[in-house]
Amino acid sequence: QVQLVESGGGLVQAGGSLRLSCAAPGRTFGSYAMGWFRQAPEKEREFVAAISWSGFSTDYADSVKGRFTISRDNAKKLVYLQMNSLKPEDTAVYYCAARLSPGASKWLSDYDYWGQGTQVTVSS
């Protein structure tokens, strides 16, 4: 019933920037937090960033602090992940996730809905 759709992935060179978007077309949530996770080949899905329902609280993985920024527009039901200073290590499939709770969380098991993912490839 709930569908999340990621977009904005692609191939970029190291040091470049990319902006991912997550949308829930035709869907509405009450108080919900959102998050971004990523999964590289042969690795487990890992936390990237999260944002509370209000947008005032955010959390980031240590590996992306200072480079990535998560934001949201509740009126448009969109969540963004601005990725700057990209590194080859950032190469992964990026997933948008929704948590039916207002508080941001870095734990994968706390999220209720997931998108299909969008590929981000950073070349050296």
Side-chain angles (χ1 to χ4, degrees), residues 17-29:
S17 298
L18 206 60
R19 188 193 193 194
L20 305 183
S21 298
C22 174
R27 303 293 189 277
T28 58
F29 292 90

Side-chain angles (χ1 to χ4, degrees), residues 11-121:
L11 174 64
V12 298
Q13 293 185 330
S17 298
L18 206 60
R19 188 193 193 194
L20 305 183
S21 298
C22 174
R27 303 293 189 277
T28 58
F29 292 90
S31 299
Y32 64 98
M34 301 291 292
W36 287 96
F37 292 77
R38 66 187 183 186
Q39 187 166 20
E42 300 184 354
K43 290 187 176 181
E44 295 184 350
R45 191 169 299 184
E46 66 176 1
F47 169 73
V48 176
I51 187 167
S52 65
W53 174 65
S54 67
F56 292 120
S57 179
T58 57
D59 193 15
Y60 297 93
D62 290 341
S63 60
V64 305
K65 286 182 179 178
R67 299 189 299 119
F68 291 10
T69 302
I70 187 171
S71 61
R72 67 189 299 162
D73 185 333
N74 286 349
K76 297 181 178 180
K77 297 186 292 183
L78 292 173
V79 180
Y80 306 98
L81 184 67
Q82 179 66 47
M83 305 184 293
N84 299 325
S85 302
L86 284 164
K87 305 174 181 179
E89 303 92 272
D90 296 317
T91 296
V93 176
Y94 283 70
Y95 297 90
C96 176
R99 182 189 184 208
L100 300 180
S101 180
S105 174
K106 64 181 180 182
W107 306 112
L108 186 150
S109 61
D110 281 346
Y111 289 84
D112 300 286
Y113 302 101
W114 296 84
Q116 293 296 310
T118 184
Q119 178 70 48
V120 172
T121 302

